[in-house]
Amino acid sequence: MAGGLAAVLLVGGGGFLIGRATAPEPAPPVAAALTPQGEAPPAPTAIAPPPTLERAGLLDLVADAIDAASASRPLPEAVQAAAGRRFDLMLPFGCEGPVEGERTAPFGWRYDEAKSTLRVWINPVRWERALWGITKTGEGKAAFEGFWIARPWSTAPECPATPLSGGINTDPSGQAQGELAIARLIGDDAGKSARRLDIVKRMAPDDFDAVRGFALRITGRLQSAEAGGPVRCFQRAGLHERPQCMIIGDFAELRVENSKTGDLLGVWPVSETNQRE
């Protein structure tokens, strides 16, 4: 019995050893994926919208439009493609000092020292379409409302350091004349005069600077629509004269700011209804 038991143990042990010797090697562990399971792939890089056009950028578009109009060429593609872009335009005014007499000037201000009161006003201008070469409207009907841009050769958004003398010329009809305007389209039936924007504030004389004046800030988007492009240039007297141009946009808001402090003096939202009268 002892010999038999030894034989069984020997055979069993040999089988165990044989089994261990012939068993397949375990597979190496699978390398972990670089991206954890269930994690979403990285989002595509967002395309940033074009930057907001400020005074210098708008004047660059106008220069291209003037060059094309002077040569009787179509509006450049770069100008056409600007339709829909946001703009933020600063129009400094009051650089000539206070305006006396009737408040008929396009921009003006005066200060009452006795009452410590500042009055600032802005008179938007309305133009018929025919004045800009657009004849699809009835006689005497306004089509654009906006402002002449003083010193359109300067990209500076503030008054010059040296006091100016003399403002924008005014014709007998009361409409200021200039080289460049910015305006919004209004309806054919908008025949009444544009509403004057008035601000009256109590203010100490040191709170503003008569030389630095004030600024009208216009924000919105350029558009083309009926105007044929976001910039329209027109030569009234023929090809020998410098074109007169208009930047056309949908106004979102008008703000008057104190150039000395940057403080907001007044704001007028322009609703979608007003933009599409």
Side-chain angles (χ1 to χ4, degrees), residues 72-93:
S72 300
R73 296 195 305 265
L75 198 64
E77 178 60 32
V79 181
Q80 292 277 17
R85 287 185 62 177
R86 293 186 180 275
F87 69 86
D88 186 342
L89 176 63
M90 296 287 281
L91 301 183
F93 69 92

Side-chain angles (χ1 to χ4, degrees), residues 2-43:
L5 180 58
V8 171
L9 292 176
L10 179 60
V11 172
F16 176 75
L17 292 176
I18 292 172
R20 285 181 58 88
T22 58
E25 291 292 329
V30 178
L34 295 179
T35 303
Q37 291 290 337
E39 182 176 322

Side-chain angles (χ1 to χ4, degrees), residues 48-271:
T52 299
L53 287 165
E54 298 184 348
R55 186 176 175 112
L58 291 170
L59 293 181
D60 285 342
L61 292 179
V62 172
D64 290 342
I66 287 175
D67 186 60
S70 300
S72 300
R73 296 195 305 265
L75 198 64
E77 178 60 32
V79 181
Q80 292 277 17
R85 287 185 62 177
R86 293 186 180 275
F87 69 86
D88 186 342
L89 176 63
M90 296 287 281
L91 301 183
F93 69 92
C95 311
E96 303 86 3
V99 176
E100 303 299 334
E102 295 295 324
R103 290 178 287 140
T104 57
F107 300 90
W109 66 272
R110 65 180 60 152
Y111 185 72
D112 187 334
E113 294 185 3
K115 298 180 180 179
S116 298
T117 300
L118 174 72
R119 179 183 290 274
V120 178
W121 70 86
I122 297 172
N123 291 315
V125 182
R126 288 195 174 182
W127 297 271
E128 296 178 13
R129 300 185 185 211
L131 290 175
W132 294 93
I134 301 175
T135 57
K136 296 179 180 179
T137 183
E139 185 68 24
K141 300 297 184 180
F144 296 104
E145 181 180 277
F147 311 92
W148 287 108
I149 300 176
R151 305 176 68 249
W153 53 85
S154 171
T155 61
E158 67 277 334
C159 293
T162 303
L164 296 176
S165 60
I168 298 176
N169 296 327
T170 304
D171 67 14
S173 69
Q175 292 189 350
Q177 297 297 301
E179 295 182 7
L180 176 63
I182 182 167
R184 66 187 184 100
L185 278 166
I186 57 178
D188 291 342
D189 59 348
K192 62 182 180 181
S193 299
R195 181 171 61 93
R196 180 168 60 205
L197 310 178
D198 269 308
I199 300 169
V200 180
K201 295 183 75 72
R202 292 185 62 84
M203 186 176 292
D206 294 338
D207 291 341
F208 68 96
D209 187 335
V211 174
R212 297 174 66 178
F214 305 91
L216 172 65
R217 187 172 201 157
I218 308 173
T219 59
R221 288 184 183 272
L222 296 180
Q223 63 90 36
S224 54
E226 300 174 61
V231 180
R232 184 170 185 84
C233 295
F234 187 61
Q235 292 171 289
R236 306 183 195 285
L239 296 177
H240 66 279
E241 73 168 4
R242 180 181 176 85
Q244 203 171 35
C245 299
M246 176 184 282
I247 301 168
I248 303 167
D250 290 325
F251 294 178
E253 190 177 72
L254 305 177
R255 300 164 64 95
V256 173
E257 299 177 1
N258 183 343
S259 296
K260 179 180 180 178
T261 63
D263 293 342
L264 178 66
L265 298 179
V267 59
W268 296 270
V270 182
S271 67

